[in-house]
Amino acid sequence: MDVLPLPAGERPLGGRSDPDFAFASRGRVLKAYGVDERLDVALDDRSFADGRWEEALDRAFRRRKAQGVENPILVGAVPFDGRQHARLFIPEHCDYEDAGRMAADPDPVALNAIEETVGRNAFEAAVAQAIDLFRDTALKKVVLSRPLDVEAREAFAPGRLLRALLRQNPGAHVFAAPVAYGQTLVGASPELLIRKTGRTVVSNPLAGSAPRSPSAEVERQRTAALLASTKDRTEHRYVVDAVRAALAGHCIPLSVPDAPSVIRTPTMLHLSTELTGELVDPAVSSLRLAHALHPTPAICGTPTGLARDAIDRLEGYARNWYGGMVGWMDSRGNGEWALSIRCGLVQGRHLRLYAGAGVVADSDPAAEWEETAAKLTTMLNLFGVASTRPSNTDLPVELAS
């Protein structure tokens, strides 16, 4: 990732102690230790409109510089609902590590239970209700998600999950971010919301998905079908159009490919479009740009207000950190923020996983359930468990990839 050199005054910490925050991108892991100052705030429109949030951040950066740090950074997580407080802080120390050296094989984990918090019937009924809304309202797309609860015999170690995710998902934005006392958000997101390096910005929205196959021929067929799918192309276009509209006022020029390509994660195929632009005002920060984009139709829907209302009515649980964003920003506004998807919330022996699917008028409820099951595989691969495996009394067992 295009990170700046280690800021003056920061020193790598020795040993194998786990960082308090970690974010991997393009072969390197940013590791942050300790908390110099917290800046937890609701990053809604009001926070940016009156300038007070950015002024507070600038003061915090200046205090850190006065301590001898040339270019301090801010790290953390932002929830799906911008009205809820983000979990952001300036670390005491930071360093970078090669992702390959930090990666490790999963440790065997004894699981007690895997529970569907929202069952298949309830999820498919919600998708059917969303399809009805497309006929009766101006809603065009809504992303509906569901959680899956995993319980282990002993407490999960977020650092171990992080290292295993790095091994299994070498091209992803792998992260571990503290979000509350005793709670850590861990994941391997394939989706870059925004990256800012100087005047250059990049956003890589994904929408439209299909599961990978071990058969090269089947994978070729699925890739061709995904590129030809009216349903998936429509879902993808909504996202690209929204990102284009949000960045157009900031970037001249803004380059948008005419058609999507397909990217591959270890578990999924995704329609992908990478937008690149040059900022008119280089002082605009990556976090301000991320706020302008969030939530995109890739994680919420369109129009945004109607999609949020539908999510509140139909999902049946609180997303909190799922569907938000995780990342970092330095004192010059450079930074990188990824959507918090393919993730789970760790608290002691409990791990809540999440997966969502974009619903449009042509959606099939059963197919959307299967899509969420395929996406859950990214995290369930840590334990060698199929996403379709029901809760049963045979657990606990020793499970590993």
Side-chain angles (χ1 to χ4, degrees):
M1 69 183 160
D2 288 336
V3 292
L4 297 176
L6 194 65
E10 301 289 355
R11 295 291 182 268
L13 299 186
R16 291 285 297 171
S17 60
D18 290 327
D20 296 292
F21 171 92
F23 183 87
S25 178
R26 297 191 290 178
R28 290 210 291 177
V29 184
L30 166 64
K31 302 185 297 180
Y33 300 85
V35 177
D36 180 78
E37 185 167 350
R38 293 196 181 280
L39 290 108
D40 299 344
V41 66
L43 294 180
D44 54 13
D45 291 338
R46 183 173 54 185
S47 298
F48 283 92
D50 60 19
R52 284 183 294 179
W53 148 247
E54 289 173 306
E55 289 174 3
L57 177 58
D58 182 62
R59 287 194 300 270
F61 277 147
R62 280 190 273 115
R63 281 193 293 269
R64 194 74 176 120
K65 289 178 180 179
Q67 298 169 5
V69 180
E70 180 182 344
N71 185 24
I73 65 169
L74 177 78
V75 301
V78 178
F80 171 73
D81 186 344
R83 294 169 297 184
Q84 298 176 346
H85 277 210
R87 190 72 166 177
L88 302 167
F89 65 95
I90 296 175
E92 293 177 347
H93 303 276
C94 68
D95 68 354
Y96 302 102
E97 185 171 349
D98 179 87
R101 289 199 299 267
M102 192 171 177
D105 291 326
D107 291 328
V109 176
L111 301 183
N112 281 338
I114 301 174
E115 299 286 349
E116 299 282 5
T117 310
V118 175
R120 179 165 189 158
N121 290 341
F123 181 83
E124 292 186 5
V127 173
Q129 292 177 61
I131 293 171
D132 289 339
L133 290 175
F134 299 138
R135 291 191 291 266
D136 301 333
T137 72
L139 184 65
K140 296 179 179 178
K141 174 187 175 180
V142 62
V143 177
L144 295 180
S145 66
R146 64 180 179 99
L148 185 73
D149 287 326
V150 179
E151 181 184 284
R153 294 180 66 179
E154 297 180 354
F156 288 103
R160 292 180 180 178
L161 296 177
L162 173 79
R163 291 191 286 272
L165 286 169
L166 285 167
R167 174 77 74 200
Q168 295 182 347
N169 303 270
H173 298 92
V174 177
F175 56 84
V179 292
Y181 181 76
Q183 294 184 347
T184 303
L185 187 69
V186 297
S189 176
E191 188 157 359
L192 173 67
L193 183 63
I194 196 74
R195 177 190 303 123
K196 181 198 173 200
T197 310
R199 299 184 77 105
T200 302
V201 295
V202 179
S203 181
N204 189 193
L206 310 178
S209 307
R212 297 289 301 270
S213 170
S215 165
E217 177 58 24
V218 172
E219 181 130 317
R220 185 193 66 78
Q221 294 172 357
R222 289 180 180 176
T223 300
L226 187 59
L227 286 167
S229 167
T230 301
K231 180 262 182 188
D232 290 292
R233 293 288 287 262
T234 298
E235 180 186 343
H236 188 79
R237 187 180 70 252
Y238 289 144
V239 183
V240 173
D241 287 349
V243 173
R244 186 205 315 260
L247 293 180
H250 294 284
C251 296
I252 297 176
L254 179 64
S255 174
V256 185
D258 293 332
S261 59
V262 173
I263 66 166
R264 292 165 174 81
T265 75
T267 59
M268 299 294 295
L269 306 170
H270 294 291
L271 289 181
S272 165
T273 296
E274 184 175 279
L275 297 84
T276 59
E278 294 296 313
L279 289 170
V280 175
D281 179 4
V284 175
S285 73
S286 61
L287 195 52
R288 178 177 276 273
L289 293 169
H291 171 73
L293 291 168
H294 182 68
T296 74
I299 199 62
C300 181
T302 189
T304 303
L306 290 177
R308 277 177 168 160
D309 291 343
I311 288 168
D312 289 343
R313 295 200 307 271
L314 299 177
E315 279 194 338
Y317 81 104
R319 285 188 177 187
N320 295 323
W321 301 98
Y322 169 72
M325 53 186 172
V326 177
W328 64 275
M329 183 179 74
D330 69 15
S331 62
R332 299 163 186 161
N334 297 307
E336 193 166 23
W337 300 89
L339 288 184
S340 48
I341 58 177
R342 313 293 190 277
C343 63
L345 185 66
V346 179
Q347 184 170 26
R349 296 186 299 112
H350 301 280
L351 172 63
R352 169 162 281 194
L353 308 180
Y354 308 87
V359 181
V360 294
D362 294 338
S363 289
D364 172 70
E368 302 300 351
W369 171 269
E370 295 299 335
E371 180 175 326
T372 61
K375 290 175 176 177
L376 284 167
T377 304
T378 295
M379 295 296 291
L380 289 174
N381 276 346
L382 294 171
F383 316 114
V385 178
S387 59
T388 54
R389 177 174 178 161
S391 174
N392 60 60
T393 57
D394 294 338
L395 298 170
V397 292
E398 295 295 328
L399 300 167
S401 297

